[in-house]
Amino acid sequence: MNQLQQWFEGLAPRERVMVLVAGVFVSVALFYMLIWSPLNAALADARSRVVSEANEARWMLGVRNEAQALRAAGADRQPAGGDESLLSIVDTTSRANQLGGAVTQIQPQNDDKATVSLENVGFDQMMYWLDTLQSKYGITVSEATVSRDSKTAGEVDARLTLLRGAA
């Protein structure tokens, strides 16, 4: 430290002022680059995250309220076909959705579970049928194996395990 002080005192008064001003400038620049700027950037990021999380929380509350309203509206509604067998519902709805020829096998596993095999069926048509089964009868797909039919575009072969009352 002694050598630095001797060097500084050996400078002309004008040079001392310039060194002091440069030292202050470098100190301010280092403070800004090493402390102020990173803290300011972190604060801006935190503010944007808070706004984003608040928007997401507002959206989730809206969805929750909508789900509760839908659940309350559908709580007293029982699925159709409660007194029919699962096989009868599958057969009737597949014919109503023009899938009768595509259904090659319906294999019951118990009263509320069956495996259905379909061949050369339009994918969109099959999905519409499955939506009807779920929305109207409460029958869901618990397992599905779907493979593309190489002969015709948009047609598939499928093996579906249907389950009633699991939704």
Side-chain angles (χ1 to χ4, degrees):
M1 186 74 177
N2 204 4
Q3 287 179 345
L4 185 60
Q5 189 176 8
Q6 286 175 351
W7 171 80
F8 184 73
E9 289 174 1
L11 296 174
R14 189 174 188 168
E15 290 175 338
R16 284 186 202 162
V17 171
M18 288 174 49
V19 168
L20 285 174
V21 168
V24 169
F25 178 75
V26 167
S27 297
V28 169
L30 285 174
F31 173 78
Y32 178 78
M33 290 188 313
L34 297 177
I35 297 172
W36 185 261
S37 182
L39 284 176
N40 204 22
L43 181 62
D45 285 348
R47 283 181 179 152
S48 69
R49 276 196 313 269
V50 165
V51 168
S52 172
E53 295 293 330
N55 288 337
E56 190 171 333
R58 245 181 263 114
W59 176 80
M60 285 182 181
L61 287 173
V63 169
R64 181 197 67 183
N65 293 340
E66 185 178 341
Q68 287 174 341
L70 289 172
R71 191 175 300 125
D76 56 342
R77 188 186 62 173
Q78 292 293 323
D83 55 344
E84 292 181 60
S85 74
L86 178 62
L87 300 177
S88 173
I89 294 170
V90 168
D91 185 54
T92 304
T93 57
S94 65
R95 291 181 196 283
N97 285 281
Q98 288 83 36
L99 297 176
V103 176
T104 58
Q105 182 181 18
I106 302 174
Q107 182 178 9
Q109 295 180 7
N110 60 37
D111 290 344
D112 293 325
K113 189 174 184 181
T115 302
V116 180
S117 298
L118 299 109
E119 290 183 2
N120 303 325
V121 63
F123 181 78
D124 293 340
Q125 192 176 10
M126 179 183 72
M127 295 306 291
Y128 181 76
W129 172 60
L130 293 174
D131 179 58
T132 301
L133 284 175
Q134 182 176 3
S135 62
K136 190 172 180 185
Y137 298 96
I139 298 171
T140 58
V141 177
S142 65
E143 295 178 29
T145 305
V146 180
S147 58
R148 184 176 63 189
D149 185 3
S150 60
K151 299 174 201 126
T152 309
E155 288 192 354
V156 294
D157 295 336
R159 182 172 171 85
L160 310 168
T161 302
L162 303 176
L163 192 60
R164 179 171 37 189

